[in-house]
Amino acid sequence: MEQMAASGEAGTYTLTDIVRFFIIAVLAVMIACITFVATLRDPATIAPQLFFIPILYAAYFYPRFGIYIAGACAIMYELIGAAAAFPDPVRAMNAILQGVLFVAIGSIFAYLAGTLHAGTEECKELKDGMVRDRKRRRGIVTTIAHELRTPLQPLMGYLNLLLSDPGGFGINTDTEKILARCLTSVERERQIINQMLEFSILEEGRLRLDYSVFSVHNLLESLISSQGYASDAEITMDLPDGLTFNADAARIGTVIGSLLSNAIAYSSPPRRIRITCVSSEEDLFHRIAISDNGVGIAREQLESIFEPFQLADSEKLSRKYDRIGLSLAIGRQYLRMHGGDITVASTVNAGTTFTIHIPKNPGAGEARR
Amino acid sequence: MNQRILVVDDDIPILEMMEILLRRLGYEPGIAANGLFALDLVRKDPPALILLDVMMTPINGWEFLEKLRADPATHDIPVLLFTAHPSVEERIGRMHDRNLGVLLKPVTLAELEKAIPQFLRGR
């Protein structure tokens, strides 16, 4: 009873619980039928059959001891059966053989139940262990993020201050350049920490999307101007007038921003980036392709680039471009949370096209892409 | 007269830096390195805004906020939780306190310059 209560409290029954119930139910029906038939033929046999009930009870609720209880019941059964059959040797032998048969079945059942029970307990322990580890990891990630971010504040604050008025602080041009490079590094560090934290939050499923209808043109123009991408690349847009998405604008902005940033980072001047809408009116998804003329990605790496901390040609590129490979993993998670996705096509030394797929109607994300 | 902003943080380098930045932005900064001292300051001279760190001792930011909100004289002072702790946004979302916001560390001068008036206007 306690085990059943524990399973109920956990809220779910495992497959092994179901198998155990099934086995017990089948055996109980068998015993009931045998008992019924045997009783009809010889009412004296009913008492011995009833010994099976404690065997079943013991095997299910106390599987570790079930086999011993089965043995004790068998001994009592044989003694009673033999005594009841005395002095008829045939009936006594019949009772003994029946006892051996039932004990054999009961013992096998006790063994199976015990094995399944042990498996269930192991699964439960593994599951509890995973939950504990996840909680511990969450605590570690948030603590590390806090400890890494805090010292950046005075560093960033003072650098901002000095660079906001270099003349006022008596800083010459060369020193100003050095300080600006320091600030760039601090800013990069901040972004890396934020990305790692964001990924951790995404992995735990704690993020909630904030849907709104927004203009794609406005989003793209805002991204391009705020990040200064127009000065790094020639960016052309070929999108229907008045194109809007019904999605989380901030998250979609992060996804597109990452793709534009990657397009610029992984290409050399003259950089050309093209943003086009490749979906039709009948399509259930908006599909926006972002193409560049950069270094491209080898075919064998096309799938792994969406895995966290994976960079295409990581040995060469990660050090050069100072990236940790989380933006695509995060971007894909955001899109999948919307019911969409991201795909990639690429040719080495020619360029790459990332296509984002966003459902036109939220909730229609299970539609065929 | 410049608006008075009180910064409450047990990290002295951050306190010193925020004092300079806020003065630069045209505010009158006050600083307190612990929550109990800060509560005294607030009761004597309520500021226009409190920038409040969360992880502090002897009382943390949440305990400070509870005491602040419990006092009728200080209950509606706007507070920006100024923290590097990522779970704070989630928690304040559940609190429905219109006088409570969050600013995640590290924050740039430009972000601070934009966030403070925006928060004070949006209440």
Side-chain angles (χ1 to χ4, degrees):
Chain A
M1 282 304 178
E2 304 88 282
Q3 292 176 23
M4 285 180 75
S7 291
E9 280 168 12
T12 56
Y13 286 98
T14 64
L15 180 62
T16 50
D17 284 331
I18 294 169
V19 171
R20 283 163 66 194
F21 288 144
F22 181 71
I23 290 174
I24 290 167
V26 166
L27 284 174
V29 168
M30 280 174 58
I31 297 302
C33 292
I34 293 170
T35 305
F36 181 69
V37 169
T39 306
L40 284 179
R41 293 173 66 186
D42 183 356
T45 62
I46 188 171
Q49 318 295 359
L50 292 176
F51 276 111
F52 219 90
I53 294 172
I55 292 175
L56 287 178
Y57 182 91
Y60 183 75
F61 292 108
Y62 304 99
R64 288 194 189 122
F65 306 108
I67 196 157
Y68 303 111
I69 295 174
C73 289
I75 292 169
M76 288 174 65
Y77 175 86
E78 290 189 21
L79 287 174
I80 293 172
F86 185 83
D88 185 341
V90 173
R91 283 189 67 198
M93 184 57 65
N94 186 43
I96 290 168
L97 285 175
Q98 277 190 56
V100 169
L101 177 66
F102 283 128
V103 165
I105 294 172
S107 300
I108 290 168
F109 176 76
Y111 173 74
L112 282 176
T115 309
L116 290 173
H117 176 80
T120 305
E121 286 295 300
E122 200 179 328
C123 281
K124 189 170 177 297
E125 276 172 25
L126 278 173
K127 189 177 166 187
D128 289 343
M130 281 170 65
V131 169
R132 277 195 306 271
D133 283 346
R134 197 177 298 136
K135 275 189 187 161
R136 197 180 305 130
R137 191 176 62 177
R138 174 182 172 175
I140 290 170
V141 170
T142 52
T143 301
I144 288 174
H146 177 269
E147 296 307 318
L148 287 174
R149 277 170 158 174
T150 301
L152 291 184
Q153 181 61 76
L155 198 52
M156 185 170 270
Y158 285 128
L159 286 170
N160 278 164
L161 190 63
L162 293 172
L163 290 168
S164 69
D165 183 18
F169 286 103
I171 295 169
N172 64 33
T173 313
D174 287 340
T175 308
E176 188 184 346
K177 282 183 189 162
I178 292 168
L179 292 175
R181 283 178 205 147
C182 291
L183 184 61
T184 302
S185 289
V186 172
E187 182 57 49
R188 191 175 299 140
E189 190 69 21
R190 179 170 86 138
Q191 283 175 15
I192 288 172
I193 295 168
N194 286 347
Q195 271 197 335
M196 289 177 71
L197 197 59
E198 192 143 5
F199 186 71
S200 170
I201 292 171
L202 271 174
E203 272 204 306
E204 293 178 28
R206 288 190 286 137
L207 203 71
R208 296 287 174 266
L209 296 177
D210 182 15
Y211 279 85
S212 65
V213 177
F214 58 91
S215 158
V216 179
H217 275 276
N218 289 349
L219 177 71
L220 287 168
E221 277 163 12
S222 165
L223 273 171
I224 291 167
S225 72
S226 67
Q227 300 299 319
Y229 292 141
S231 58
D232 296 317
E234 178 195 329
I235 302 177
T236 54
M237 288 197 274
D238 181 12
L239 304 170
D241 289 337
L243 177 64
T244 58
F245 286 172
N246 186 353
D248 185 323
R251 310 298 178 202
I252 300 300
T254 299
V255 175
I256 297 176
S258 299
L259 296 178
L260 290 174
S261 171
N262 285 346
I264 289 167
Y266 292 105
S267 56
S268 304
R271 298 182 181 98
R272 280 184 292 277
I273 297 172
R274 196 148 178 267
I275 305 171
T276 49
C277 178
V278 295
S279 50
S280 63
E281 282 220 16
E282 297 77 32
D283 207 332
L284 294 172
F285 287 77
H286 294 296
R287 304 183 203 275
I288 306 293
I290 298 171
S291 308
D292 64 53
N293 61 334
V295 299
I297 305 167
R299 184 193 297 271
E300 56 272 15
Q301 289 168 333
L302 283 178
E303 196 46 47
S304 64
I305 57 170
F306 293 107
E307 298 301 318
F309 306 107
Q310 297 292 322
L311 290 167
D313 204 356
S314 55
E315 278 187 26
K316 193 163 54 178
L317 293 177
S318 64
R319 196 156 297 175
K320 185 179 176 189
Y321 296 108
D322 197 15
R323 287 164 183 256
I324 58 166
L326 274 180
S327 62
L328 289 177
I330 291 171
R332 184 169 71 166
Q333 284 279 66
Y334 284 158
L335 289 167
R336 285 184 172 177
M337 284 178 72
H338 282 85
D341 208 343
I342 182 168
T343 52
V344 61
S346 187
T347 306
V348 174
N349 295 326
T352 302
T353 298
F354 284 96
T355 305
I356 63 172
H357 311 263
I358 297 173
K360 287 181 179 173
N361 294 312
E366 298 307 311
R368 204 162 41 89
R369 295 199 180 94
Chain B
M1 188 167 174
N2 293 342
Q3 281 183 307
R4 192 160 161 276
I5 296 181
L6 178 66
V7 185
V8 186
D9 199 319
D10 62 352
D11 189 307
I12 305 300
I14 289 181
L15 268 186
E16 290 170 342
M17 181 220 56
M18 289 300 290
E19 190 178 20
I20 297 173
L21 286 192
L22 288 172
R23 193 162 279 128
R24 192 88 186 172
L25 293 174
Y27 297 103
E28 185 198 325
I31 57 173
N34 84 55
L36 292 173
F37 178 55
L39 279 170
D40 278 340
L41 287 180
V42 167
R43 283 169 188 143
K44 284 176 191 157
D45 185 10
L49 173 68
I50 300 175
L51 292 179
L52 175 67
D53 186 25
V54 172
M55 292 177 73
M56 299 188 290
T57 53
I59 61 169
N60 63 35
W62 301 115
E63 288 162 338
F64 174 91
L65 194 61
E66 198 181 321
K67 291 181 192 306
L68 191 78
R69 293 290 184 247
D71 186 341
T74 60
H75 76 100
D76 60 352
I77 295 178
V79 174
L80 268 178
L81 293 175
F82 185 47
T83 177
H85 212 285
S87 65
V88 166
E89 279 179 301
E90 206 180 331
R91 184 165 170 176
I92 69 166
R94 295 194 296 266
M95 289 171 72
H96 306 293
D97 181 343
R98 59 185 284 274
N99 291 322
L100 184 64
V102 67
L103 204 55
L104 284 179
K105 290 174 187 167
V107 65
T108 64
L109 183 62
E111 285 166 354
L112 199 62
E113 190 176 21
K114 189 175 167 191
I116 292 174
Q118 209 169 52
F119 177 66
L120 290 175
R121 265 199 312 272
R123 289 173 48 244

